[in-house]
Structure formats: structure tokens, C-alpha cells
Amino acid sequence: MKRKLQILKNDPWLEPFRGAIEGRHEDVLRKERELVGEGDSLSDFANGHHFFGLHRDKNGWKFREWAPNATCIYMVGTFNNWEEREEYSLVRGENGVWELALPADAIKHGDLYKLRVYWSDGCGERIPSYATRVVQDEVSYIFSAQVWAPETPYQFNDADFKSNVSPLLIYECHIGMGQNKEGVGTYDEFREKVLPRVKADGYNAIQIMAIQEHPYYGSFGYHVSNFFAASSRFGTPEELKHLIDTAHSMGISVIMDIVHSHAVKNELEGLGRFDGSYDQYFYGDDRREHPAWDSLCFDYGKNEVIHFLLSNCKFWLEEYHFDGFRFDGVTSMLYYNHGLGQAFGGYDDYFNGGQDTNAITYLALANKLIHEVNPNAITIAEEMSGMPGLATKFEWGGMGFDYRMAMGIPDYWIKMIKEKKDEDWHPTSIYWELTNRRADEKTISYAESHDQALVGDKTLIFRLIDSDMYWHMMVDDDNMNVDRGISLHKMIRLVTCATINGGYLNFMGNEFGHPEWIDFPREGNGWSYKYARRQWDLVDREDLKYRFLNAFDNAMIGLIGGKRNFQNQPVEKLWEKDDDQVLAFKRGDLVFVFNFNPSKSFTDYGILAPEGEYSGVMNTDAPEFGGHGNISDDVKHFTLHDELYSKYGVSWLKLYLPARTAQVLRLKKSRKPAATKAVTKKGVTKKVTAKKPTKKVTDKSKIN
């Protein structure tokens, strides 16, 4: 009798779809057997980067390329004056694999090269698919592969580093726009200037965007041309390795934003019509072009494509010591319609036959491979539909991601700020949105990421304060709009971070309320770098209020990050009252209390909490955080016994709650074992822990 998968035991609502879930699980196992054969592993299979591309061996150089539709291929470059010569002609072997052997002195480190590929009715210059170094000419802007074989390869010093951080606190960043200057930042500049800030801010992981080479800088790195090449506009491979090595020495994990959901359409720089055919790497029919992204969609049903992409995962882990990946555009991969125009209102939407089983199989195999190569690796899915099992263990019937992005949360905050009056910010709604998730999946919660900062959109701080940021951010300038914005900015972040069940993410600069938007150089802005940078001088200035937000973020991250496995502690709701706009919940020995009311402060406000003594840990109204100092963390708070509730282990905790503030208290000692029940204004209710799976899907957002 077949054993029931754990995912079906965890969520009874999935039982009607048992056949589909078991089927996709078997598809992965079947494909794995087909790929690796008997006795081998996925890691043994995913070694395309060791076979294809340019490599030095004891006899000189060996180059291989997969181009089944090609009729003739030449390697051309600076070493042969870009001319087709017989000694640089590749020989066709089995299965469309072409090969070239060269003596040691035929090419050298730094040489530029391409392939000139011929097919039955045409030819074109191509950059090798496994090229590990691609550079752009500063005059002609043409991209070429570059021979990269330094005499002294970089030696890592991170052998003892293990990425087992918990909770995971991610600093999302971009190398090029990571500097104050109006220009493109480098790996070295990031290592020297930004990494120390990340360390000081308390984050234990960086998630780097735009690493894979891309021809258009303004694509934010999402239109990839060369999947094995680290973008040369930021520096050399050694400099990227030095950055990662240094991060590891600081105890910081390094996650790469990897793009396997699509590829740039460019033929001269990328994989489009690499060997003259339309369906070598991509679909050859009407599914070839992505309808929304102007890019090409991989054919995940081809073993050669799976080999290419799995090898790509292993390459970045092996060659650069990345600690894992945030997979971009997963929703687009999961569905034939790319998730476009679909509401995903119930489980039927996930199992209606519109799912791309080939892509699902690839994602599960990628997760298996990554954790086989590095058991401590981190994998995150950027996915908005809420597909059940995405971040559930493969052996349980899931796809094996460690985390999924909680993409509904930033959309929720934007909606609140744009559409709700401050008086209508209801704690019941806030708490539901932040804790409504599947019990068997970990999420990365965030108030905003790079998505919300792009031109055409606005960061939370800019939505809250808008143009007043230009004139009223001086420390001695009292402005009611700025005061409101700073207060809510802190509260939004604290309630989002305090309710995590996996990790928390912040985009570079947003921790101090970076003003304005992100706009990369383009024709429409005169190719300006004014908005494609981070103005670190703003937070460093003592006379500006940005430093208050940064200090608060430091304290918040320090508090959450200082509690080992904080994300695993149940979120126990203690109090919610919409007409007062007050919310309180407990995690471990910490109690978080929020008063979202814009005008009412409450004296001796009663919250039912575990009996004992409480002391203040931090509060958003502290002067060092730009507040008014109306809350003292030095005051001891003792619960007041109430016979009506004492049998539940709770009593009244009376607090002063100024308007638009939040505070965190620590239970120092309990008078009774706290088998606490959650209590609301209506009385005792069931204990609140992590949410059970529900049919309702609230995690919806635009696809990136």
C-alpha cells in the first residue's frame, strides 16, 4: 500500500487533489532516475560547467559547446584577429556536441573571443553558453567572452562557514547602485563600504541582485544573457569571490538572486537562436516568448535544458561559494499562463490542469540538487499565487524550497496607506494578513523590497511623507506629516518583523527610509545615475532624521536576531480591539503591543497577559528613534490578579499606550505556568499558534 505523503496529512483540504500531488511527486522521481541512472546522484549529473565551455588541461585548452543545429563552428577572437581559421574550427561529435583542442599558447588570459556559428540557412556570432566571463567594449558596447585563467586563482578562507542562521534576516542589495556616487558601484566598493554597514545593522544574510550577466543595466539583472558569468560591470570574478569570502568572515550568508524563469531575447549576447534554431533552449511554438516580459521561456521538458540549469545552480555554489538562491519569477514557471490574469481564490486554481509539470519537476530537482551539494543552503521562491507545497520538503510531497516570499504583505501595506484613513487601520486585519500562512511552509516577510522602490512606484516612507521629505527631515524641524510617517514606518516594520515564521527581508537603504525611487539610466532620464544609487550620507548626518529610523531598525533586528529560533516560537494573540486600534501578541517571553490609533493615547490600558513581572525592552517612541519619549522602558509592570481569568494563567497588564506607538516588553518571571489562552475583548478564545492551512489565499502580488 502506498504511503500517504505528509503534505496530505498536514492539510486535509488537499485530499481531493491527492492524485495531482502524488503525480507531480512521482514525475520528479521518474525524471531523476532518467537523468542520473543507477548509482549516480543529481550532483554527479549537474556537471555541465566542468565539461562544456573553455577549460585548461595538461595538454593545453579544451572547448566544448552543445549546438545540434549547427553545421560549422569557429572560435574567433583577439588571438586570430577575429578570423575563421582551420586550427580554431570545432569538430562535431555525438548528440550535437562540438569540441576544440588548442595548444597552451593558442590563447591566453584576457583574450576576447566568440563563436561564429553556421547553420543550414545562415550564421551568426555567439557568446559560448557556458562562458564564465563576459565583458562589454566601452566604445562599441559589444559584448564578448573573455578567457579568464589568472595565474593565481582566488583562494577562499571560509571552509568552516555554515549558513545555518535562524532567524534569517536578509539585506537585499544591488552591487551597482550600492554606492553614493552617480555611477556603477563595484564588488570591491561594496565589500569595503556596504558590508560593514550590513554587519553593524545586524542582518545575517545579504541577497544580491543582478549577478548573472545581463546586457541592459536597467533590467535590474532580470534579463539574463550569460548564466555562468558574473556581471563584469561590477568587477572581476576574484573580486566577487573576495566579497563573498569577506561576508562569510563576518558571519553573513550570501544568497544569489538567480533567474531561471526566462532569458533575454538578444541573439548576439544570449541564448536566443544560439545554433540557428528556435527551440534549442526555449519552446519553439507560441510559448517561446513571455507575453509580459519580452523575454524567452525555457523548455523545461528537455533534458539538455535541465542539465544546463542544474549545472548552473551547482556552478554558483561551487565556484563562488554562494549559500543559496532566491529563485525569481517562480509563479511564471508554475503555470502555462504564467499566472497572468488569474485570481487564485481556491485550491481548484492550483490543480486545474494549467500547471506546467515540466517546470514543477525542474524546480523540485533544483532544490534536491542544491541541498545535496550544500545541506545548509538556503532556497527561496519568489511566488505570488500561493501554490501549496512550494516550500514544503520534497519527501513530504512538496517542491523543496526552504522559504517562500510573503508577497501579499507589502501589497497590503501599500493598500492600507493608499486607501485607508489612519482611523481605519484595524488590528484584526493587520494581524490576519501577517499570520495567514500555511503551517507547513516558512515564509520571508517584508514590508517592502526593491519592487516597491522602482520608478513608477513609491517606497513606504515616500508614500507616508512624500514631498515633505525634501524640506522637513532636519532634526530640529517639527512637522506633523513627517512625525506621522516616521512613527508608522517604525510600527509597520516592527509588526511585520515580529510576526515572522521564517525570515525577514529589507531592501538596501529602506532601513533608514531612503527617499525617492530607483530609476536606472535610460533614454527617458538622460542616462542619469542620480536615482540608481544609495545616499548613505543622509543616514550618516547627525542633523537629519534618517539616523533615527536606522537606529530603530538596528534595535529591532538586534532584538529579533538575538533570540535563537525566534521564528519558531508561536505567535500568541493576547489582545485586539479595532475600535481602540490596539493589538498585542506574545512570542516566547516577549510581548509586542501596538496602538495604531492616530489621536488617542490610553492610560492604564488593560491587556490580558501571562501573570508576572514585565520590563520594557524597546519602544518606537524613544528619543533615539525620533520619538517623543513618552514611554519609559525603566518602569516595571506587574500584572493585576483577576479571579475571572486566573484559571487561564492570565491577568491584567496595565500599560500607557501613546498614540501611534509600539512597545516590546519581556516577561521576567511568571507567578504561574503560562499555559496561556488568547483573550480578546469578548473573552477567552482558543490559544493562537501558527496558522493552519486554509483555502483562502491572501498572498497575491504582481509578478516580478
Side-chain angles (χ1 to χ4, degrees), residues 182-222:
E182 293 189 28
V184 180
T186 67
Y187 297 124
D188 279 347
E189 287 173 326
F190 190 94
R191 172 177 54 81
E192 295 166 359
K193 299 177 182 179
V194 182
L195 271 183
R197 290 182 184 271
V198 177
K199 178 65 176 178
D201 286 346
Y203 291 87
N204 53 33
I206 56 174
Q207 181 177 297
I208 311 181
M209 308 170 65
I211 290 297
Q212 293 168 295
E213 191 60 85
H214 45 290
Y216 179 44
Y217 186 48
S219 74
F220 230 141
Y222 291 122

Side-chain angles (χ1 to χ4, degrees), residues 467-523:
S467 61
D468 281 344
M469 291 194 76
Y470 295 123
W471 313 108
H472 300 289
M473 288 297 283
M474 300 293 289
V475 168
D476 57 356
D477 187 337
D478 293 326
N479 179 281
M480 291 182 63
N481 190 41
V482 171
D483 186 66
R484 167 186 176 268
I486 287 177
S487 298
L488 288 176
H489 195 265
K490 291 179 289 188
M491 294 181 73
I492 287 170
R493 275 167 158 66
L494 181 60
V495 72
T496 302
C497 190
T499 50
I500 60 172
N501 80 326
Y504 174 78
L505 177 141
N506 166 71
F507 178 65
M508 177 175 62
N510 287 353
E511 70 277 8
F512 65 83
H514 196 286
E516 300 179 320
W517 48 85
I518 298 168
D519 189 13
F520 283 94
R522 56 186 173 85
E523 188 175 3

Side-chain angles (χ1 to χ4, degrees), residues 66-172:
W66 176 60
N69 191 56
T71 58
C72 181
I73 302 178
Y74 290 94
M75 180 186 285
V76 296
T78 52
F79 41 81
N80 60 14
N81 200 31
W82 300 97
E83 296 175 353
E84 298 174 9
R85 297 181 183 175
E86 188 61 33
E87 62 267 32
Y88 292 94
S89 174
L90 277 68
V91 177
R92 186 183 182 109
E94 296 181 355
N95 303 316
V97 175
W98 296 74
E99 185 172 307
L100 171 65
L102 293 170
D105 60 355
I107 55 176
K108 65 181 185 303
H109 173 68
D111 279 342
L112 302 180
Y113 70 102
K114 291 184 180 182
L115 299 179
R116 192 162 293 153
V117 182
Y118 287 82
W119 50 91
S120 60
D121 57 352
C123 70
E125 288 193 344
R126 300 290 186 260
I127 294 175
S129 59
Y130 282 80
T132 57
R133 172 76 171 167
V134 175
V135 296
Q136 185 178 28
D137 184 84
E138 295 181 359
V139 177
S140 67
Y141 301 113
I142 293 173
F143 285 86
S144 301
Q146 187 175 37
V147 178
W148 200 256
E151 288 296 324
T152 308
Y154 186 84
Q155 298 295 316
F156 281 93
N157 297 300
D158 61 354
D160 296 329
F161 181 80
K162 290 183 179 179
S163 183
N164 54 3
V165 289
S166 185
L168 183 61
L169 303 170
I170 301 172
Y171 197 82
E172 185 186 32

Side-chain angles (χ1 to χ4, degrees), residues 430-444:
I430 293 170
Y431 185 82
W432 167 257
E433 183 63 41
L434 296 178
T435 59
N436 178 35
R437 54 210 174 199
R438 299 184 61 79
D440 58 355
E441 296 189 354
K442 294 184 292 184
T443 61
I444 301 295

